[in-house]
Amino acid sequence: MENTKYVHGYSDREALRLNDQAETLDEIIHNDTIFSKGSFVLEAGCGVGAQTKIIASKNPDSTFISVDLSEASIREAKKMIHSLDIHNVELRQADIYHLPFQDETFDNVIICFVLEHLHNPMEALKEIKRVSKNGGTIIAIEGDHGSTFFYPDSTYAHSAIDCQIQLQKQNGGNSNIGRELYPLFKSVALSDVSVSPRMVYVDASKPQLVEGFIKNTFTAMIEGVGKKAVQQGIIDSSAFEKGINDLYRTSEPDGVFSYTFFKAFGVKENAL
Ligand SMILES: C[S@@+](CC[C@H](N)C(=O)[O-])C[C@H]1O[C@@H](n2cnc3c(N)ncnc32)[C@H](O)[C@@H]1O
């Protein structure tokens, strides 16, 4: 069954956006996603496999099981992994809250851009911890919309971003979860917790990020919630449109855009 509550939905456009996002952010968020040779790794909430192809290729000597709630996304991910000739990944439909694995199965678990959509991220982390081996590492990567700033500044653009924050909250999620990763990891008694902020700073000297991040990742994501936000009366359509235009405006030659992701590392040293 599809999770209709997932705020971004499961359209082809969203699949494309997830792939753009993953490719654009590869160096910034996955430069240190390196597992020891022979590791057995769970990727929780793999979606259409946008991160899967990157982390599996970076770690050819590890074996991955990548799971997602959406059967349709798993089908897409399988096609993509097959077309890229990647052989160290098994894809399965599964719910993060009820993982179909025995205690202490995995050497490492990675979860990327998923906790922000869950109504109970702490329960999800407990379940992830359950299936991790003692001494295993858990990695979570999340954004935080409160970290967004840009030039030229625009109240319309901030209001458009706020639509996403509100809709995600209505679905039980949290667009500002990046800042909460440290307390979340501590709350499930992980050891050696460390959080590393990954700032994506973009100006015209970085044309790839102008395209890949400002336009195709961030603004595309906000644009995607416009219809719902207007339908629900959170904003009127002309204000939303102005906000989106002002976000695109930051991609012009004098524009600047900044956003910070957070990557948390923790080690399981005890059962909860
Ligand atoms: C923003 S997407 C991220 C996908 C992928 N990690 C990426 O970065 O491209 C969030 C994913 O979390 C999945 N998801 C949400 N709730 C879930 C649950 N309870 N169990 C497994 N996956 C879940 C959704 O189906 C969706 O594919």
Side-chain angles (χ1 to χ4, degrees), residues 32 125 138-144 177-186 190-198 260-266:
D32 52 356
L125 282 176
I138 295 168
I139 298 175
I141 304 170
E142 294 292 340
D144 189 315
I177 201 167
R179 71 191 71 176
E180 292 181 26
L181 288 181
Y182 185 83
L184 265 173
F185 270 40
K186 293 299 277 186
L190 289 171
S191 304
D192 297 333
V193 178
S194 68
V195 174
S196 136
R198 310 280 163 120
T260 303
F261 293 92
F262 295 84
K263 183 167 186 176
F265 299 83

Side-chain angles (χ1 to χ4, degrees), residues 2-3 6 8 10 14 17-19 21-22 43-52 67-70 73 94-97 111-114 116-118:
E2 296 301 340
N3 173 14
Y6 170 48
H8 303 311
Y10 292 98
E14 173 59 9
R17 190 191 71 80
L18 287 172
N19 277 303
Q21 168 174 265
E43 183 196 7
C46 62
V48 292
Q51 314 290 341
T52 317
V67 302
D68 198 278
L69 192 61
S70 159
S73 297
D95 183 349
I96 289 171
Y97 292 115
I111 178 162
C112 189
F113 306 147
V114 177
E116 62 177 301
H117 297 292
L118 301 181

Side-chain angles (χ1 to χ4, degrees), residues 126-264:
K126 280 185 189 164
E127 180 65 351
I128 281 171
K129 188 177 173 194
R130 180 186 69 76
V131 299
S132 299
K133 288 183 186 164
N134 271 335
T137 308
I138 295 168
I139 298 175
I141 304 170
E142 294 292 340
D144 189 315
H145 290 3
S147 72
T148 316
F149 62 83
F150 38 82
Y151 177 85
D153 205 356
S154 151
T155 47
Y156 287 111
H158 285 292
S159 300
I161 296 169
D162 199 49
C163 292
Q164 153 95 58
I165 295 174
Q166 286 192 48
L167 285 170
Q168 200 155 328
K169 203 181 268 179
Q170 275 179 27
N171 282 349
N174 177 2
S175 313
N176 294 345
I177 201 167
R179 71 191 71 176
E180 292 181 26
L181 288 181
Y182 185 83
L184 265 173
F185 270 40
K186 293 299 277 186
S187 72
V188 296
L190 289 171
S191 304
D192 297 333
V193 178
S194 68
V195 174
S196 136
R198 310 280 163 120
M199 182 191 257
V200 186
Y201 168 80
V202 193
D203 59 32
S205 68
K206 299 167 179 157
Q208 261 181 308
L209 286 176
V210 169
E211 264 321 291
F213 191 71
I214 302 182
K215 294 185 184 173
N216 298 343
T217 296
F218 192 83
T219 308
M221 171 183 71
I222 301 300
E223 221 172 348
V225 301
K227 208 169 148 192
K228 215 182 256 177
V230 172
Q231 269 170 4
Q232 293 201 10
I234 297 173
I235 197 167
D236 69 63
S237 59
S238 78
F240 189 79
E241 211 172 294
K242 279 192 190 127
I244 295 300
N245 286 342
D246 287 352
L247 285 175
Y248 279 119
R249 168 68 183 85
T250 68
S251 66
E252 287 181 20
D254 64 344
V256 168
F257 194 95
S258 183
Y259 187 92
T260 303
F261 293 92
F262 295 84
K263 183 167 186 176

